Amino acid sequence: MEFKSIPLTIPEGCNIIVGQSHFIKTAEDLYEVMATSCPQARFGVAFCEASGPCLVRVEGNDADLKRAAAENALNLGAGHVFVILLKDAFPINLLNALKSCQEVCQVYCATANPLQVIVTQTEQGRGIMGVEITDEQLGFVAEKIREFFKGR
C-alpha cells in the first residue's frame, strides 16, 4: 500500500466539496441537488465511476467549473468519489441537501482553502484516507486577541 498526497485546484472565488457516494447516477443527482438548493450558484460536479470503464462523469452549469472539477476528480482517481466546485454560493447553503441525497455516504470537506487529499494506492485502486486543509494551528484565539490588543 502506498500513500499519496493529491493537491486539488480551487479556482479563484470558489469553494470545493469532496465526498463519496455509492451509485453511478451520482453526478446527475448531485446536479439536481445543487440546482434546486442554490439556483443562483454556478457549479461543476465530477464523479469517479468505480466499475466498468471507471470514467469520470461530469455535470454542472458552468463550463470552466465542470472542467476544473473533472480534472480534480481525474487526479484523485478514487472510485465513487465526487468533487463539486461552487461559485456564487457557499457550502453551508447546500451541505444538508447534499448529505440527505440518498447515495451520498460521506462529505470529506467543504472549503475555499488550499486542499490536499490523502489517498491510498493498492492493487485494487485508490481510496481517500483523509484531507489536509491548512497549516498547523498557531494557538488559541483568546491568546492571539490579547496579544493583539496588549499595550493599545
Side-chain angles (χ1 to χ4, degrees), residues 76-91:
L76 285 173
H80 286 167
V81 167
F82 63 84
V83 174
I84 298 171
L85 286 170
L86 174 66
K87 192 169 192 151
D88 298 333
F90 296 99

Side-chain angles (χ1 to χ4, degrees), residues 4 9 15 26 33-35 38 54-55 60 70 80 87 99 111 123 139-140 142 144 148:
K4 296 182 178 188
T9 302
N15 278 271
T26 295
V33 168
M34 302 289 293
C38 281
C54 293
L55 301 174
H80 286 167
K87 192 169 192 151
K99 291 187 274 187
T111 187
E123 292 175 10
F140 293 103
K144 295 297 178 191
F148 179 78

Side-chain angles (χ1 to χ4, degrees), residues 140-152:
F140 293 103
V141 171
E143 291 175 5
K144 295 297 178 191
I145 290 172
R146 277 195 295 275
E147 287 176 24
F148 179 78
F149 287 107
K150 192 175 183 175
R152 288 186 183 231

Side-chain angles (χ1 to χ4, degrees), residues 27-84:
E28 293 87 348
D29 290 346
L30 292 181
Y31 176 95
E32 289 180 27
V33 168
M34 302 289 293
T36 58
S37 298
C38 281
Q40 81 284 1
R42 294 177 18 216
F43 62 91
V45 176
F47 170 72
C48 297
E49 294 178 346
S51 59
C54 293
L55 301 174
V56 174
R57 292 174 174 248
V58 183
E59 296 289 338
N61 62 8
D62 183 287
D64 292 335
L65 297 179
K66 286 170 57 175
R67 187 171 24 278
E71 289 170 3
N72 281 325
L74 192 59
N75 288 337
L76 285 173
H80 286 167
V81 167
F82 63 84
V83 174
I84 298 171

